[in-house]
Amino acid sequence: MQQDFYSGLPKRMSIALDKLFTSKNWDYSDPEFRRKKHVIHAVQSDYVRLPVDATEAQIFQCADYMIKQVYAYAAKYQVDSLVVDGVCMLCRQMGIPGPQGTDYKEQIARAVDRAWWIRSLRKEHARRFEHVAIQLGFTSYKAGVYISNESAIRQRKRNQENAALLAKTELQNENGQVYTLEELSALGTSNKAIRRGELMTRIRGFEEIAKDLKHVGMFWTITCPSKFHAVLSKSGDSNPAYQGASPREAQAYLCKVWARIRAALKRNNIHPYGFRIAEPHHDGCPHWHMLLFVAPEQAPEMEKIIRKHALAEDGMEKGAAENRVKLVEIEAGKGSAAGYIAKYVAKNIDGEHVGDHKTNEGWVVVPDMLGNEEITPSQRVTFWSQLHGIRQFQQIGGAPVTVWRELRRVKYDAVLHAPENIKLAWAAVQRNGDSLASYADFTNAIGGVSSGRRYTVRIASRDVEIAGKYATYTDKRPCGVYSLGNPNAIYESTRYQWTRVDKKGGGVAFDLPWTGVNNCTEKKQATGADTEIFIKELKEKVENVRSGKVKIQCHGKSLEEFVKNWRNRE
């Protein structure tokens, strides 16, 4: 093989591919060789986006160059809408979404922020890198289960950096209490044990409701067609039917299938409730497990609908009927539905009480060493979910969990004179000593499992002015709950005003991240006035560029030449 054949790939991949090609003595007539050669050629001929083997320093360098390009557009066009169009064109070239915002000023403010570019470029690069690893066979049971070793190392490092930042960031509330963000994070569902416990509480609640209603449990597994799988499930060899889809594309396919199933079930007045778990095959392609409860007389029709839509695409291919959609009926008296799904929940969170960690194909995955640290199978699953942005757990039907969580923030004194449904719902979400919270009692208190939009307890919200990093805007934020019969009586939840503790004295006021907004910036809180000042300064810089007082210093005359310089680096 020529030495430059593998240029642009990480060293481990280059060495492994060279050994593979040499050992098999492949030539251009071999289909697998042609597929891998095509992937390598695509990587080497991509002169616009970041190289697949780009370092963090190169990502930072590219972010700086992008900002200079934005200033160049601003100097050239002088119109906000045209500048945003130019920014969006840059984003399309780099494979990232354009900057979001309610107006052009906010979008431009993002486009000249180095941190925004770094986040966007880093995410796109990580996903593209892993997609290349999947296509070349480096994500599989034989190489790196669920996620390639390179991506696992990178994601672990990012998580450690985030944890270190949380640990050193201190907050103080209006009562004078001081905590680190790490301590506050450990009190919520970011804590894996709490996350697992809450999921199991809700699953157990659904099972209790099903038992009272004499509904049956059905455990489904739905898998993508063969063309989404890079590696054969049994042998671990390259799949000749694979057409190059990424895990996110496979997840989009499963979401589309479920949307069609849900619509068909609704047309037939079938309303199942339960949970969906998305987890990876050993090659990173997602599949779904679904625990659904339904009235026994509706089960046969629901089975027919699910099988029809799960096999609608490529349903005649070999093994589709047996492997693409599977059903396990949970019989009354023969085990618990919650117990049946518990291992899938734990397996995809922290591996607690799982025993042997088995893939969907039946292989046992054991912890391994990456560098000087051990990495567990459950950590690999978490890294897979974080990297690809795939939601692991989702409730199907039933009462909204937002009300459940909001009631936990409502104090006892606030519901003393509340209607009976709110009192019962409030009592159901509390945990006192040995008394556990009951999702079944909560659901029944607000209308039952199949109430849909007729639930009698709702989230109350109020308009809040939010001073974000890029703009100040008004949005609705939860402030408690109310009963559907009397929407004017709001039973308020407790939220604290937190201030970031400045080591030099002083602080920044903001709400906890659970409100969906983190108003904390590195140095000070951004305001609408700050944004106006920024836009003014931007226009001054643009005018300086146009007048020739300031010249933009680029690493090359064009982005293509800039990236080529990276490839020619020593």
Side-chain angles (χ1 to χ4, degrees):
M1 291 290 176
Q2 296 179 358
Q3 186 175 3
D4 62 349
F5 181 82
Y6 307 106
S7 64
L9 295 178
K11 185 176 181 180
R12 182 183 78 97
M13 292 186 177
S14 300
I15 295 173
L17 284 173
D18 187 55
K19 289 181 178 179
L20 179 64
F21 291 159
T22 303
S23 64
K24 291 193 174 184
N25 196 25
W26 284 350
D27 56 34
Y28 288 97
S29 63
D30 189 297
E32 186 177 353
F33 179 89
R34 290 202 304 269
R35 284 195 299 272
K36 286 182 167 56
K37 177 67 171 64
H38 176 75
V39 174
I40 296 172
H41 181 265
V43 168
Q44 294 172 334
S45 59
D46 189 347
Y47 294 111
V48 176
R49 294 180 295 180
L50 284 161
V52 169
D53 60 344
T55 63
E56 281 285 285
Q58 290 172 325
I59 292 176
F60 297 158
Q61 189 180 19
C62 186
D64 292 335
Y65 179 74
M66 290 295 107
I67 294 174
K68 291 175 181 178
Q69 291 287 80
V70 175
Y71 281 128
Y73 281 128
K76 180 177 180 180
Y77 297 118
Q78 292 289 297
V79 178
D80 288 349
S81 61
L82 295 180
V83 174
V84 170
D85 288 343
V87 170
C88 291
M89 183 186 69
L90 279 178
C91 291
R92 285 194 296 271
Q93 290 176 348
M94 302 304 294
I96 65 176
Q100 299 298 306
T102 56
D103 55 33
Y104 293 135
K105 290 182 179 180
E106 184 177 352
Q107 290 175 283
I108 294 173
R110 293 177 189 273
V112 294
D113 178 29
R114 188 172 188 256
W116 181 86
W117 280 104
I118 290 173
R119 287 193 303 270
S120 301
L121 292 169
R122 183 184 280 152
K123 181 186 296 184
E124 186 278 334
H125 176 262
R127 290 176 178 173
R128 181 158 46 90
F129 178 98
E130 182 60 19
H131 189 202
V132 169
I134 291 171
Q135 291 174 298
L136 293 177
F138 290 95
T139 302
S140 70
Y141 183 75
K142 293 183 176 181
V145 66
Y146 304 141
I147 187 173
S148 67
N149 290 342
E150 287 83 2
S151 292
I153 292 171
R154 186 186 295 113
Q155 190 63 45
R156 181 177 62 187
K157 181 181 177 183
R158 293 293 306 148
N159 290 353
Q160 290 171 344
E161 290 172 350
N162 291 337
L165 179 62
L166 294 179
K168 70 179 183 181
T169 303
E170 292 186 341
L171 308 176
Q172 181 175 347
N173 62 22
E174 62 267 38
N175 297 327
Q177 298 170 312
V178 178
Y179 300 92
T180 65
L181 273 175
E182 182 183 42
E183 292 171 331
L184 293 174
S185 177
L187 300 176
T189 53
S190 295
N191 183 316
K192 292 187 175 183
I194 292 177
R195 186 185 186 197
R196 173 167 44 81
E198 177 170 307
L199 281 168
M200 291 309 304
T201 296
R202 290 156 62 192
I203 292 170
R204 185 180 66 247
F206 275 159
E207 185 177 22
E208 292 171 357
I209 292 172
K211 185 177 180 180
D212 291 340
L213 297 176
K214 294 182 170 53
H215 287 177
V216 296
M218 307 175 77
F219 187 82
W220 290 93
T221 299
I222 298 180
T223 305
C224 296
S226 178
K227 63 186 178 184
F228 288 93
H229 297 267
V231 179
L232 294 173
S233 60
K234 294 182 179 179
S235 66
D237 296 328
S238 179
N239 178 20
Y242 179 54
Q243 295 183 8
S246 68
R248 285 178 62 82
E249 290 169 331
Q251 176 73 359
Y253 162 81
L254 292 171
C255 290
K256 181 176 67 175
V257 169
W258 176 246
R260 292 170 177 170
I261 291 172
R262 187 178 63 233
L265 292 174
K266 186 175 181 180
R267 288 194 298 269
N268 286 271
N269 200 31
I270 301 174
H271 303 286
Y273 52 96
F275 271 85
R276 180 227 77 187
I277 300 175
E279 68 174 19
H281 285 283
H282 71 108
D283 62 353
C285 179
H287 61 278
W288 285 9
H289 297 299
M290 294 190 295
L291 174 63
L292 300 176
F293 297 98
V294 70
E297 63 274 11
Q298 294 180 328
E301 183 64 22
M302 187 172 86
E303 179 178 354
K304 186 187 303 182
I305 290 172
I306 291 179
R307 290 190 183 277
K308 173 186 174 182
H309 290 283
L311 296 172
E313 187 169 337
D314 299 339
M316 301 304 294
E317 64 181 358
K318 184 179 179 180
E322 298 81 11
N323 302 316
R324 289 261 302 278
V325 55
K326 297 180 181 179
L327 167 64
V328 175
E329 296 184 9
I330 301 174
E331 300 181 25
K334 293 187 177 181
S336 162
Y340 192 88
I341 201 174
K343 64 179 181 180
Y344 293 97
V345 173
K347 173 183 170 183
N348 289 280
I349 295 180
D350 56 6
E352 191 72 18
H353 309 304
V354 170
D356 288 341
H357 186 111
K358 294 184 178 180
T359 67
N360 195 55
E361 297 78 19
W363 289 324
V364 176
V365 185
V366 297
D368 55 357
M369 296 295 294
L370 289 183
N372 297 323
E373 296 184 41
E374 182 184 73
I375 181 171
T376 66
S378 294
Q379 283 178 305
R380 281 187 172 270
V381 176
T382 300
F383 296 160
W384 168 85
S385 171
Q386 292 172 333
L387 188 148
H388 296 295
I390 293 176
R391 183 177 180 180
Q392 290 179 278
F393 306 98
Q394 185 171 18
Q395 181 175 311
I396 297 173
V401 70
T402 52
V403 178
W404 162 274
R405 290 172 178 166
E406 189 67 16
L407 276 168
R408 286 181 167 177
R409 301 189 183 105
V410 178
K411 300 295 185 182
Y412 171 75
D413 293 344
V415 297
L416 278 177
H417 305 292
E420 192 66 18
N421 60 339
I422 289 184
K423 287 182 178 179
L424 291 174
W426 182 89
V429 307
Q430 307 305 315
R431 177 175 180 173
N432 296 313
D434 296 333
S435 177
L436 300 177
S438 172
Y439 202 73
D441 291 346
F442 161 74
T443 301
N444 291 329
I446 68 173
V449 74
S450 299
S451 293
R453 297 182 178 180
R454 301 186 302 276
Y455 285 108
T456 60
V457 179
R458 308 285 182 89
I459 293 286
S461 60
R462 61 166 59 100
D463 289 337
V464 176
E465 187 177 84
I466 300 168
K469 184 177 182 180
Y470 305 108
T472 298
Y473 57 95
T474 300
D475 197 8
K476 292 187 178 297
R477 287 290 180 263
C479 62
V481 298
Y482 67 91
S483 177
L484 189 60
N486 184 11
N488 294 322
I490 296 176
Y491 305 93
E492 295 197 7
S493 55
T494 300
R495 279 182 166 80
Y496 297 101
Q497 187 76 13
W498 293 89
T499 301
R500 179 173 178 174
V501 178
D502 189 342
K503 302 300 183 181
K504 299 178 181 180
V508 180
F510 63 100
D511 289 331
L512 270 178
W514 66 38
T515 64
V517 176
N518 186 343
N519 293 326
C520 180
T521 59
E522 188 64 25
K523 294 183 179 180
K524 64 176 185 177
Q525 183 183 20
T527 65
D530 293 331
T531 303
E532 294 296 331
I533 293 172
F534 161 74
I535 296 297
K536 182 180 178 181
E537 291 176 349
L538 173 61
K539 289 182 176 179
E540 290 177 354
K541 291 179 180 179
V542 169
E543 186 58 35
N544 289 336
V545 171
R546 294 183 71 250
S547 63
K549 294 180 180 178
V550 176
K551 293 184 179 180
I552 298 178
Q553 299 296 322
C554 301
H555 296 277
K557 294 182 180 179
S558 66
L559 184 58
E560 289 80 1
E561 292 179 355
F562 176 63
V563 176
K564 286 180 181 178
N565 288 338
W566 283 348
R567 296 195 179 280
N568 294 329
R569 67 193 183 282
E570 295 182 356

